[in-house]
Amino acid sequence: MQAVLSEDFHANVKWIERESRTTYENARYSQALLAPAKVRHIYLVTHAWHMRRAARAFESVGIKVTPAPTGFHTLGRAARMSGAYLPSAQGMYYTSLALHERLGLVGHDFKENDMPANGKPSAEATTAPASAPVTAPAPKKK
């Protein structure tokens, strides 16, 4: 994302979060990086299929989100008519994305249930690693 913002949009990137391994960690570490600048509202850019879970993660750490989804996918008319109901590798891929996101939402709900009664994460939950410099990266394909 840093390269796209710098090269395509000639924007200066102020924060880069590189330590996270999950969407929830990205939200926590980003919140820790943005808090000193009093940034409490972001445009969240991620794939459309990932937006619901990503927005929930960022909002759970106190960052207000304006969704800016990308990567929409629709089938053409011919595909909807003839081959849409037959098994395919592409269909399996999209099924795996849907399952991954659904399981991620369930996992996130468990994390929210572990939060203190006030709904805010504890201080140690919002502390980023010392080496973390935020541009929220797109989720990694597995």
Side-chain angles (χ1 to χ4, degrees):
M1 179 160 300
Q2 177 186 14
V4 170
L5 288 170
S6 298
E7 295 167 17
D8 296 347
F9 296 99
H10 306 290
N12 293 326
V13 178
K14 197 168 190 176
W15 301 282
I16 301 169
E17 191 284 296
R18 291 190 170 122
E19 302 297 320
S20 62
R21 296 166 295 155
T22 67
T23 302
Y24 187 71
E25 283 183 358
N26 180 237
R28 286 182 15 216
Y29 299 164
S30 295
Q31 190 275 339
L33 290 170
L34 296 171
K38 299 188 183 338
V39 175
R40 295 182 186 100
H41 186 183
I42 63 167
Y43 288 93
L44 183 60
V45 180
T46 191
H47 287 277
W49 49 262
H50 181 62
M51 182 57 72
R52 183 176 175 196
R53 183 164 58 102
R56 215 184 249 190
F58 278 81
E59 288 173 348
S60 75
V61 296
I63 297 175
K64 182 174 172 31
V65 169
T66 296
T70 64
F72 290 92
H73 175 78
T74 58
L75 294 174
R77 186 170 198 271
R80 287 193 316 264
M81 301 304 281
S82 59
Y85 300 101
L86 299 174
S88 67
Q90 185 181 26
M92 290 299 292
Y93 171 72
Y94 288 121
T95 299
S96 72
L97 287 178
L99 289 172
H100 179 86
E101 290 303 309
R102 180 54 67 184
L103 290 172
L105 283 170
V106 169
H108 185 264
D109 288 343
F110 283 130
K111 284 185 176 111
E112 282 186 349
N113 290 335
D114 291 339
M115 286 188 177
N118 66 4
K120 304 275 186 202
S122 61
E124 66 271 3
T126 58
T127 304
S131 62
V134 138
T135 308
K140 296 176 183 130
K141 289 186 179 179
K142 294 183 181 183

